[in-house]
Amino acid sequence: ARVGISERHLQAAVASTTGQMLTATALASILGIVAGYILTWVLTRPILTLVKVTRAVGKGDLSQRAPVWARDEIGQLTVAFNGMVSDLRQERDRSQGYNQQLLRRNRELAALNAVATAMSGSLALNEVLDRALHAVLEAMDFSAGWVFLFDQAGLRHTPVCSVGLSAD
């Protein structure tokens, strides 16, 4: 028995369906690859930025801040990291202030010690004042200075010694 269906028409329908399926598969694959790339970029961008800022902070640059991209766990981590960097910067500034105060106080104490050492000998007043002036200038890292003595009323002063100044 022979049915009146042409084989060419059947092969054309199979070929058309196969082409449509290949086209749909190719489009779905391309769409999946593009979506995967975009999602990878969106998900790794905050982490890579945080790593970059972490390295800068590790090298001592406490002015760096990581941008917060979203309110997810990575965003919360970024907010916590930025807070930690701010706290570190405040503590470093406070520590530097204390160090400067200590250095200034150390210089003051060194000058007082130098003056006390200069005055401990039994020398003439002018010689003691000259030694004390040299000791203070050296301790304070100054290049010039002078000592004046006032009279009993405190109205008239007399130059006793000077360093690094002209006689005029």
Side-chain angles (χ1 to χ4, degrees), residues 1 7 23 35 37 49 79 92-93 97 106 117 124 128 130 139 145 147 166-167:
E7 203 176 306
T23 302
Y37 177 77
T49 303
V79 169
R92 182 187 67 183
D93 292 345
N106 189 22
T117 302
V128 168
D130 188 55
V147 175
S166 68

Side-chain angles (χ1 to χ4, degrees), residues 8-75:
R8 262 189 250 147
H9 181 46
L10 188 58
Q11 286 178 348
V14 169
S16 172
T17 303
T18 303
Q20 289 174 352
M21 289 179 72
L22 285 175
T23 302
T25 302
L27 287 175
S29 296
I30 291 172
L31 183 64
I33 290 170
V34 169
Y37 177 77
I38 290 172
L39 284 174
T40 300
W41 181 74
V42 166
L43 293 175
T44 60
R45 179 178 53 162
I47 295 171
L48 294 174
T49 303
L50 191 58
V51 167
K52 178 182 168 188
V53 172
T54 302
R55 287 187 178 138
V57 168
K59 292 180 181 176
D61 183 6
L62 297 180
S63 66
Q64 295 288 321
R65 298 293 181 272
V68 179
W69 300 99
R71 294 179 184 240
D72 59 357
E73 292 83 4
I74 295 173

Side-chain angles (χ1 to χ4, degrees), residues 125-126 129 146-161:
L125 178 63
N126 287 351
L129 292 176
W146 59 91
V147 175
F148 285 93
L149 292 180
F150 286 90
D151 62 4
Q152 295 269 343
L155 300 174
R156 190 171 151 233
H157 59 277
T158 307
V160 178
C161 60

